[in-house]
Amino acid sequence: MAQKPSIPKGTRDFTAEEMAKRNYIFDTIHDVFRLYGFRQIETPAMENLSTLMGKYGDEGDRLLFKILNSGDFLNGVDRSLIDNNETTRLAAKICEKGLRYDLTVPFARFVVQHRNDLQMPFKRFQIQPVWRADRPQKGRYREFYQCDADVVGSESLYSEVELLQLIDEVFARLGIRITIKVNNRKVLAGIAEVIGVPDKLVDITVAIDKIDKIGIDKVNDELAERGLSAGAIAALQPILAISGSLDERLDSLAGILAGNEIGQKGIEELRFVTRTTVALGLRAELDLDVSLARGLNYYTGTIIEVKARDVEIGSITGGGRYDNLTGVFGLPGLSGVGISFGADRIYDVLNSLDLYPAGTSAASKIIFANFGEKEALTSLKAIHALRKACIPAELYPDTAKMKKQIGYADAMNIPFVGIIGESEMADGTITLKDLTSGEQQQLTIDQLISRLS
Amino acid sequence: MAQKPSIPKGTRDFTAEEMAKRNYIFDTIHDVFRLYGFRQIETPAMENLSTLMGKYGDEGDRLLFKILNSGDFLNGVDRSLIDNNETTRLAAKICEKGLRYDLTVPFARFVVQHRNDLQMPFKRFQIQPVWRADRPQKGRYREFYQCDADVVGSESLYSEVELLQLIDEVFARLGIRITIKVNNRKVLAGIAEVIGVPDKLVDITVAIDKIDKIGIDKVNDELAERGLSAGAIAALQPILAISGSLDERLDSLAGILAGNEIGQKGIEELRFVTRTTVALGLRAELDLDVSLARGLNYYTGTIIEVKARDVEIGSITGGGRYDNLTGVFGLPGLSGVGISFGADRIYDVLNSLDLYPAGTSAASKIIFANFGEKEALTSLKAIHALRKACIPAELYPDTAKMKKQIGYADAMNIPFVGIIGESEMADGTITLKDLTSGEQQQLTIDQLISRLS
């Protein structure tokens, strides 16, 4: 009984100080989503397993948290599944529900289920936790939040422009300097065609995605292993080597892809999106990266990835355009574009750069010392007035020694202590003690309110 | 495949309009919690089943959602459990984790686990969903939010005062007229002693709790069934019949409980809490209700329940003082007082009284019509300026017919449409169409910003 309790591995408690920081991130993202006309939805933590299974590959199916059916869950279960230890099939019999693995599949399910009530284009955002039975490790959790925004039901590239502006605004507000890397699936398809291996698109992208990590030589080795001819690899080299400004690189790439229809379409899309976004004034660095190939099975147009410029860490936001969000639920051909903010990594970046604004704290602005019933009642009246002025304030609940009460304020990072003793009662004032400077001031309630506002 | 997808029974999707209303409630509660010096924490959705089991009675254990262990979950499981269909014991073997059932047990676990890092008194709040495998019915869901605030580590009655003020402030902000009913467990114990049946405290409270529903005669019948003598029942009648103002009723009760130690202590506590709260100015009606006995196994002092005055619905907030939050986790004697807001019922009350403020909407303030590339770029510049002024604004992404674009704005409850066509491009203005009145105005961007601010 007296064993110290714990939580499941890979999950976290968030203390008040951590929550203050996390809320700062989530509130920032939330406010910008709303400013850009996205509408929040929420879906249940539990989905039917039939909704989730088969959407994330075999590995994903294994990583789903499954919820045991209530009551007599063995009723009607074929005992041979148990005798033969067929745990995967057995799990499907004794579990009807699972915890959501991401926000994309529940969103697709939502769109199909509510399609008659939705106006297209539908701009939604969603900020909720997801669960994966992954092996926990540094920076990888079994419960973590995703923050997704998508525009579905329109093929307009203005949606891409809007999302790039939105990314820029979120990180400008957070004070994180970023590079937004863009690419286009059509450009990748064009490259594969131009170097003569249209069927090797996936192999090419898997390999060149690693350039930053392993270098061009090892990428070329891998391309050879994956069956690319020496000629195809040689033809790829000038593409990987293009340099200059964004426009210069688009020009070089356009030259290389001249006459290739899909490649030119990709270049055109990239030109429109980047030109328009830059014309509207972007604070982030915008970069073309032909090695960018995330989510290739899914994305069909623009691909977006965001890196922090001042911290070594993986991508902190990513997204792209897709053309078949809901086909698996029987509603084919729905195009959209979406992005996902990586809240945990953004949290790490803000921590390592110490970028939280001064006010990011769970603490009240002031706590009043408690000297007994009469003084406490007068203090409570002052506290009531402060709260009316939207200043978080509280009374120390017990009549402990002054040293203990001050120590509590200090430990809680409450910057000010209000003191109403006999003399303050007599002249209707409050003594304000600034715990940072140690200074004391005698103030009326109005002066106190304007001092703390 | 093409079967229309659905969600598990008892769970809900929240659409954008519903989320706007829910956020209004949660934000209000959140803001007031913070104003009163409470600090937000979050705990994981999944807890170890050893943390949850045995805390909610047998019925509660059955209503826990259990999560199937990953991988080879049958490994090492005694097959006789399967053969004998011992599903409860089997579930405990193949499931280590469960979804949280409320916020109280995870909070107690949190306090014990982090006790070396916590300052007492610890004022925490928590707003998170909980899950119960209850039979779904109207107003009862398998996933719902709880909004709890507690002060632990102090026995001071100022915490009760603070929570009553906090309740008053939340419902004043929401515009819901309420009655706060208070009682005290010590008064109930005193009553049981005074009428000569100290061991029948639970029977008495279970029965008299139903007075409003079934009337005094049936309550008396039930008391007799539960073994109270005619004398004890007779002695109880004047207590249930006390009337008058709050102070008059406290006086009557004090008279009846004269000489009873625990009863007098309860009266004293009620006097202090109500007197202090009223002195600070309460907008809610405050009422003594000796039949109020919620959570009797748990509460040891003040008991609080809130009813809406203008809607027939169960209690919309409740709470009380306890003196052993964490004993079950090996840390005995921790006293505290807490309240829990019933978000779903508050939502129902706001809906039935239509109390949402005019601005409660998921919608942007303005959408710009899209007439093609040049006009769109100029519109995007205006949109950028509006967003800088914190006005949610967006561009219709496609160059559809004007009628379709206006229809979209209308369906989305966006009140204004911005129009930048050739003539507006020429003179640098924006035509603002008010969809409510149908009026149109030609404005500069600065005029537009101040019009929509």
Side-chain angles (χ1 to χ4, degrees), chain A residues 19 42 70 90 95 149 206 233 253 262 279 342 420 435:
Chain A
M19 280 304 296
E42 283 189 3
S70 298
L90 178 59
C95 299
V206 168
I233 295 174
L253 203 53
I262 190 162
I420 300 183
L435 292 188

Side-chain angles (χ1 to χ4, degrees), chain A residues 107-121:
Chain A
F107 172 51
R109 192 267 309 145
F110 180 99
V111 168
V112 175
Q113 194 174 327
H114 301 275
R115 60 186 159 194
N116 294 332
D117 305 319
L118 294 180
Q119 295 293 322
M120 294 293 169

